[in-house]
């Protein structure tokens, strides 16, 4: 059995190795074939062309396959340069430059989170910068080899470098987008025969118009741009990329054969003209595609947002209706249970006492849930600010601790406070802030497997008053720090599966804090060690300072660490 498993693993490994080898072999073959075809357009020493498609193939291969594609690229580059290079060493050095340049361009694109779909304006700018920057390496290394070997005179370095750099950069700018446009994109609809015919007509028109413009001596070559932009608008990247490539190919053919506006120009002037034309093609198509897709994405997000808002409104309306409908029977049930408990209907049998107590407790829990649903519904639909008075944040904390003291005593819990010696004035609704603190304190008393220990501190930091509630509970996993403030979310912990609740407490607390231009966050939390919540509220202006509650002189109780 073990031998069979080992044999199966070896077979899988061999298959994976075979597939990887075949993939790299295809990369090398595509590079070599594209290079051989491009050498027919060579302008310098039979090996420097105004467009070098292998660089585009190499960049795409590295982006898709990874850095291991560089081995295939280097081998293919050496095979191309060996027959035409000045020497074996010179061919090897040129091949190294041809490998390093696309590797640098691909790494630059990876570093800036380049999208292979090229669906953002940033992607168009990124591939342009990567092409112009990365190809400096291959152009510089190749030109230096040709000059040092004597294949090109010293005064021809600049022209050779310009042609080499232009060719390699155009290979990335024009061929790479074309290859990327061929990748499957599920979001794009299939082209029916009418759309295929339309695209074919636009591409054929691009070729014809570009040819006619470059045969004319009127220097109106940029009149082809509107046609390319129309193709980009209609077919996005899968139309823009081939259209730009076709126009560029026609322009390069004209430059090689010396026709039209490029007939009487020097080599360097031809390269500058071609570079400007090709960059204009690339940018015009890329930018327009990115603009259209960005606009459509924004419109789709707006539609989704509107749909979500409608869904939230419908859900809030349902919760509000359900809570209101439940509120009355719960109140009636609670009233009758209270009357049974206090003997209003006469002495109840002792056997009923426990049952009545349980029903009363559960009715109280149900009432709390309904109140939370109503509050959540009110907060979702309310845009008005709550009434605010000038209050001392320390007093809000003291009152919240007093309300929790009875439950804390039952649980043998400790609640320590550390209050600022000076008043902490805020403009707020004391009742609403009290609800926030009640929720934080009750959570600290509930979600712990040992005697609860809470520490509540009030301080001022810059222009804000801060209340920190620290507990020694079970803690919150880091992956759920943002989720606990969402509606109906409850941390999944088997120790507390029987604790009743709606998962709305922290959501309501966050909404109330934000209504006061404040915020509530998990400052730190560690599973098994406890959590520290921080409530931050803007301080009232200096003229609104209030005196401390005369019943409570500044005092500091021992601080109890939540750890």
């Amino acid at each position: 059995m073990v031998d069979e498993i080992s044999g199966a693993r070896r077979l899988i490994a061999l298959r994976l190795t075979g597939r990887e080898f075949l993939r790299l072999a295809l990369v090398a073959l595509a590079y070599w074939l594209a290079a051989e075809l491009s050498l027919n357009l060579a302008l310098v020493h039979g090996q420097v062309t105004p467009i070098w498609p292998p660089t585009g193939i190499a960049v795409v291969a590295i982006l898709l396959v990874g850095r291991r594609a560089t081995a295939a690229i280097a081998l293919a580059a050496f095979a191309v340069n060996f027959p035409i290079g000045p020497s074996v060493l010179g061919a090897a050095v040129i091949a190294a430059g041809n490998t390093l340049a696309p590797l640098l361009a691909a790494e630059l694109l990876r570093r800036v989170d380049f999208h292979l779909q090229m669906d953002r304006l940033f992607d168009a700018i990124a591939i342009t910068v990567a092409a112009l920057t990365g190809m400096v390496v291959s152009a510089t290394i190749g030109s230096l080899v040709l000059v040092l070997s004597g294949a090109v005179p010293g005064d021809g370095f600049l022209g050779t470098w310009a042609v080499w750099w232009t060719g390699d950069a155009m290979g990335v700018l024009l061929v790479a987008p074309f290859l990327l446009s061929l990748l499957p994109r599920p979001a794009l609809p299939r082209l029916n025969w009418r759309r295929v015919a339309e695209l074919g007509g636009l591409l054929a028109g691009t070729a014809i118009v570009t040819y006619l413009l470059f045969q004319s001596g009127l220097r109106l070559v940029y009149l082809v741009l509107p046609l390319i932009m129309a193709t980009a608008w209609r077919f996005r990247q899968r139309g823009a990329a081939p259209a730009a490539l076709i126009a560029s190919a026609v322009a390069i053919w004209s430059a090689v054969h010396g026709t039209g506006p490029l007939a009487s120009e020097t080599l360097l002037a031809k390269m500058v003209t071609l570079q400007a034309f090709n960059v204009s093609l690339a940018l015009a198509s890329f930018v327009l595609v990115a603009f259209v897709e960005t606009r459509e994405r924004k419109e789709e997000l707006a539609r989704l947002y509107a749909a979500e808002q409608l869904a939230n409104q419908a859900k809030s309306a349902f919760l509000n209706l359900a809570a209101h409908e439940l509120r009355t029977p719960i109140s009636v049930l609670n009233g009758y249970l209270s009357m049974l408990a206090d003997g209003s209907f006469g002495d109840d049998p002792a056997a009923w006492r426990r049952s009545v107590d349980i029903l009363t407790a559960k009715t109280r829990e149900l009432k709390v849930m309904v109140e939370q649903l109503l509050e959540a519904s009110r907060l979702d639909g309310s845009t008005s600010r709550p009434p605010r008075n000038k209050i001392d944040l320390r007093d809000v904390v003291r009152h919240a601790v007093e309300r929790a003291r009875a439950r804390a005593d039952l649980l043998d819990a400790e609640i320590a406070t550390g209050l600022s010696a000076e008043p902490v004035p805020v403009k707020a609704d004391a009742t609403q802030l009290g609800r926030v603190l009640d929720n934080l304190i009750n959570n600290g008393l509930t979600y712990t497997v040992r005697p609860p220990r809470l520490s509540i501190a009030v301080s001022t930091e810059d222009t804000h008053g801060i209340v920190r509630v620290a507990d020694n509970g079970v803690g919150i996993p880091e992956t759920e720090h943002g989720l606990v403030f969402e509606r109906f979310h409850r941390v999944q912990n088997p120790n507390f599966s029987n604790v009743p609740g709606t998962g709305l407490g922290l959501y309501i607390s966050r909404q109330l804090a934000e209504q006061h231009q404040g915020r509530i966050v998990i400052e730190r939390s560690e599973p098994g060690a406890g959590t520290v919540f921080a409530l931050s509220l803007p301080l009232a202006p200096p003229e609104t300072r209030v005196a401390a509650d005369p019943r409570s002189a500044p005092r500091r109780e021992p601080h109890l660490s939540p750890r």
Side-chain angles (χ1 to χ4, degrees):
M1 184 66 179
V2 174
D3 292 339
E4 291 178 359
I5 294 175
S6 300
R9 287 178 176 174
R10 284 195 296 271
L11 181 60
I12 293 173
L14 286 173
R15 286 180 179 176
L16 292 176
T17 303
R19 289 178 184 176
E20 186 67 19
F21 178 80
L22 179 60
R23 186 182 300 174
L24 295 180
L26 289 176
V27 170
L29 180 62
Y31 188 102
W32 182 81
L33 287 176
E36 290 297 319
L37 292 174
S38 300
L39 289 175
N40 293 325
L41 302 175
L43 295 180
V44 179
H45 195 257
Q47 66 184 112
V48 184
T49 69
I51 184 170
W52 188 244
T55 55
I57 295 173
V59 169
V60 173
I62 295 172
L63 289 175
L64 295 179
V65 179
R67 296 188 184 93
R68 56 185 178 276
T70 54
I73 294 167
L75 182 63
F78 180 75
V80 170
N81 285 283
F82 177 70
I84 59 177
S87 64
V88 175
L89 178 61
V93 174
I94 292 174
N98 289 344
T99 305
L100 289 174
L103 177 61
L104 174 60
E107 288 300 321
L108 288 174
L109 292 175
R110 278 204 182 103
R111 290 294 180 92
V112 298
D113 191 27
F114 174 76
H115 287 189
L116 296 180
Q117 299 85 357
M118 293 186 62
D119 54 356
R120 304 173 301 173
L121 178 59
F122 179 80
D123 298 321
I125 297 173
I127 196 170
T128 302
V129 173
L132 299 181
T133 303
M135 300 310 114
V136 170
V137 175
S138 56
T140 304
I141 292 176
S143 300
L144 283 174
V145 169
L146 294 182
V147 171
L148 292 176
S149 65
V152 171
D155 58 359
F157 174 81
L158 184 60
T160 302
W161 187 92
V163 176
W164 201 310
W165 179 60
T166 302
D168 284 5
M170 289 306 103
V172 177
L173 282 178
L174 297 173
V175 176
F178 171 71
L179 295 176
L180 292 175
S181 71
L182 300 179
L183 295 176
R185 294 178 61 181
L188 290 178
R190 284 181 171 272
L191 295 179
N192 55 36
W193 66 270
R194 290 183 180 178
R195 294 275 288 170
V196 171
E198 181 185 356
L199 177 58
L202 287 171
L203 296 179
T206 299
I208 295 171
V209 170
T210 307
Y211 175 79
L212 294 176
L213 291 173
F214 273 91
Q215 294 304 306
S216 169
L218 299 178
R219 299 182 180 275
L220 300 175
V221 295
Y222 290 96
L223 288 180
V224 75
L225 289 181
L227 188 57
I228 292 176
M229 293 171 70
T231 307
W233 184 276
R234 293 287 295 156
F235 294 93
R236 310 296 184 268
Q237 192 63 31
R238 60 185 173 186
L245 186 60
I246 290 171
S248 175
V250 173
I252 292 169
W253 182 89
S254 300
V256 171
H257 290 82
T259 62
L262 303 178
S264 59
E265 293 186 352
T266 64
L267 177 62
L268 181 60
K270 285 181 179 180
M271 291 304 99
V272 172
T273 303
L274 278 178
Q275 180 78 321
F277 180 73
N278 287 333
V279 169
S280 298
L281 290 178
L283 289 180
S285 57
F286 297 166
V287 170
L288 184 59
V289 169
F291 170 76
V292 172
E293 294 201 351
T294 300
R295 190 193 66 173
E296 290 183 346
R297 194 158 49 245
K298 287 183 177 179
E299 291 176 351
E300 180 64 20
L301 288 175
R303 285 193 294 269
L304 291 175
Y305 178 77
E308 183 184 7
Q309 290 294 100
L310 289 174
N312 283 336
Q313 290 174 6
K315 180 169 62 177
S316 297
F318 168 75
L319 292 176
N320 189 40
L321 176 63
H324 273 293
E325 292 299 320
L326 287 171
R327 196 174 191 179
T328 299
I330 288 173
S331 298
V332 172
L333 179 60
N334 190 53
Y336 276 103
L337 286 172
S338 299
M339 294 170 69
L340 282 172
D342 63 16
S344 298
F345 296 133
D347 294 335
D348 57 318
W352 293 10
R353 173 60 57 183
R354 178 169 173 76
S355 299
V356 170
D357 291 342
I358 293 174
L359 286 172
T360 302
K362 292 302 178 182
T363 303
R364 190 179 300 112
E365 290 175 5
L366 189 57
K367 184 178 180 182
V368 170
M369 293 180 187
V370 169
E371 292 294 338
Q372 286 189 338
L373 288 172
L374 284 172
E375 181 66 15
S377 176
R378 184 189 66 79
L379 290 172
D380 284 340
S382 175
T383 57
S384 60
R385 295 182 179 179
R388 299 179 185 178
N389 299 311
K390 303 165 191 176
I391 60 175
D392 189 341
L393 196 53
R394 300 176 304 168
D395 293 334
V396 179
V397 171
R398 292 187 187 105
H399 298 326
V401 171
E402 289 174 4
R403 288 192 296 272
R405 192 66 73 180
R407 186 182 177 210
D409 292 340
L410 289 174
L411 297 173
D412 193 26
E414 292 183 12
I415 303 179
T417 57
L419 307 181
S420 169
E422 295 294 325
V424 183
V426 295
K427 291 188 68 174
D429 183 336
T431 302
Q432 299 287 44
L433 290 188
R435 293 193 63 182
V436 175
L437 292 174
D438 288 345
N439 184 63
L440 297 179
I441 294 172
N442 285 328
N443 283 350
L445 294 174
T446 301
Y447 296 101
T448 181
V449 294
R450 49 191 168 180
R453 301 291 183 265
L454 276 70
S455 173
I456 306 175
V458 181
S459 61
T460 56
E461 296 179 9
D462 297 327
T463 59
H464 284 72
I466 311 292
V467 180
R468 288 183 174 86
V469 180
D471 63 52
N472 65 339
V474 294
I476 301 171
E478 187 174 355
T479 55
E480 300 199 37
H481 282 193
L483 297 176
V484 295
F485 294 103
E486 299 297 328
R487 283 179 296 187
F488 308 114
H489 180 83
R490 302 188 69 188
V491 175
Q492 299 301 316
N493 189 316
N495 293 321
F496 305 101
S497 58
N498 61 342
V499 174
T502 59
L504 287 170
L506 287 176
Y507 169 76
I508 292 173
S509 297
R510 184 186 63 176
Q511 295 294 100
L512 291 175
E514 290 178 354
Q515 281 193 353
H516 288 82
Q517 281 74 54
R519 56 196 298 259
I520 182 171
V521 298
I522 297 176
E523 202 165 63
R524 68 175 183 273
S525 184
E526 183 179 343
T531 303
V532 178
F533 284 92
L535 171 64
S536 172
L537 297 167
L539 292 172
E543 63 271 18
T544 63
R545 290 178 62 89
V546 297
D549 190 333
R551 299 175 298 171
S552 51
R555 66 174 185 265
R556 288 189 62 87
E557 299 183 18
H559 178 74
L560 187 61
S561 171
R563 298 290 179 183

